[in-house]
């Protein structure tokens, strides 16, 4: 396959898949961990208890865990692309609708259920997909996808704080939701 010259080598599409999985995981997991940044602003704005808001994180993780099993099963049958697209719609919808909540139970539905279900559609299917592309370097592929977790937390928590400080928590949720759709 060529003489080793860069221009004669075929481009390996697995790198695109791996990069996309990394970015998607970064965004989704990052939004999941932003709840801590939103606690005080929501508490002060809405008068809800911090524990009531914080418990949404637990609910979110339960939904994400159960959803991961479902998304893996569905991904095997219908394909990763379909599962990821549904996840993107749910993630963005959950975040955008979180900006409109008026009652704490609504935040359980939007951030807890919809956002949790959206995130669950990414991690397992995208990790498996990336691993399939890297026959000889599966551990490396899994590590790169998993590294998206850390980057997402490092990038989106400060972004959320900036948006909350400059605007308010509702605008921050709206921006995050639109970023998830992008």
């Amino acid at each position: 396959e060529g003489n080793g010259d860069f221009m004669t080598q075929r481009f390996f599409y697995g790198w695109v898949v791996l990069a996309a999985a990394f970015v998607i995981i970064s965004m989704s997991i990052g939004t999941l961990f932003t709840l801590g940044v939103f606690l005080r602003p929501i508490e002060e704005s809405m008068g809800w208890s911090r524990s009531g808001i914080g418990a949404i994180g637990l609910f979110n993780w339960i939904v994400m865990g159960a959803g991961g099993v479902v998304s893996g099963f569905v991904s095997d049958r219908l394909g990763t692309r379909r599962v990821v697209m549904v996840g993107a719609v749910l993630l963005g919808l959950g975040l955008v609708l979180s900006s409109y909540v008026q009652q704490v139970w609504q935040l359980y539905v939007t951030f807890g259920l919809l956002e949790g279900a959206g995130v669950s559609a990414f991690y397992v299917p995208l990790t498996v997909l990336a691993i399939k592309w890297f026959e000889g370097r599966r551990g490396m592929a899994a590590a790169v996808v998993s590294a998206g977790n850390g980057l997402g937390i490092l990038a989106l928590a400060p972004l959320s704080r900036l948006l909350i400080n400059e605007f308010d928590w509702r605008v921050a949720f709206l921006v995050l939701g639109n970023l998830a759709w992008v």
Side-chain angles (χ1 to χ4, degrees), residues 20 40-41 98:
R40 178 179 273 164
S98 291

Side-chain angles (χ1 to χ4, degrees), residues 37-48 53 95-103 107 110 160-161 163-176:
V37 176
F38 285 89
L39 278 174
R40 178 179 273 164
I42 293 173
E43 177 187 22
E44 291 172 356
S45 169
M46 303 304 287
W48 303 335
I53 301 164
L95 291 164
V96 166
L97 291 177
S98 291
S99 73
Y100 293 100
V101 298
Q102 297 298 319
Q103 303 288 326
L107 197 57
T110 59
S160 298
R161 173 51 61 202
L163 291 169
I164 291 167
N165 289 347
E166 292 296 317
F167 303 102
D168 71 357
W169 63 270
R170 292 182 185 279
V171 172
F173 271 138
L174 194 60
V175 169
L176 289 177

Side-chain angles (χ1 to χ4, degrees), residues 71-85 125:
S71 68
F73 178 82
V74 174
S75 181
D76 285 344
R77 276 130 191 93
L78 300 179
T80 302
R81 182 176 300 178
R82 289 181 181 163
V83 172
V84 169
M85 293 304 292

Side-chain angles (χ1 to χ4, degrees), residues 21-181:
F22 176 82
V23 169
I24 292 168
I25 294 299
S26 295
M27 180 65 202
S28 64
I29 295 294
T31 61
L32 182 82
F33 279 99
T34 61
L35 183 61
V37 176
F38 285 89
L39 278 174
R40 178 179 273 164
I42 293 173
E43 177 187 22
E44 291 172 356
S45 169
M46 303 304 287
W48 303 335
S49 74
R50 188 172 294 202
S51 62
I53 301 164
I56 294 167
L58 172 62
F59 180 57
N60 188 298
W61 279 94
I62 292 169
V63 170
M64 192 178 72
V69 174
V70 172
S71 68
F73 178 82
V74 174
S75 181
D76 285 344
R77 276 130 191 93
L78 300 179
T80 302
R81 182 176 300 178
R82 289 181 181 163
V83 172
V84 169
M85 293 304 292
V86 169
V89 169
L90 291 174
L91 176 62
L93 186 63
L95 291 164
V96 166
L97 291 177
S98 291
S99 73
Y100 293 100
V101 298
Q102 297 298 319
Q103 303 288 326
V104 72
W105 70 265
Q106 293 168 337
L107 197 57
Y108 275 85
V109 172
T110 59
F111 194 87
L113 181 64
L114 293 176
E115 202 258 358
V119 172
S120 74
F122 301 126
Y123 194 75
V124 171
L126 288 174
T127 302
V128 170
L129 178 66
I131 287 171
K132 286 180 182 177
W133 277 89
F134 289 86
E135 182 72 30
R137 295 181 275 175
R138 290 183 172 166
M140 181 275 306
V144 169
V145 173
S146 294
N149 294 331
L151 178 66
I153 295 164
L154 289 174
L156 291 180
L159 173 63
S160 298
R161 173 51 61 202
L162 175 71
L163 291 169
I164 291 167
N165 289 347
E166 292 296 317
F167 303 102
D168 71 357
W169 63 270
R170 292 182 185 279
V171 172
F173 271 138
L174 194 60
V175 169
L176 289 177
N178 282 283
L179 281 174
W181 282 333

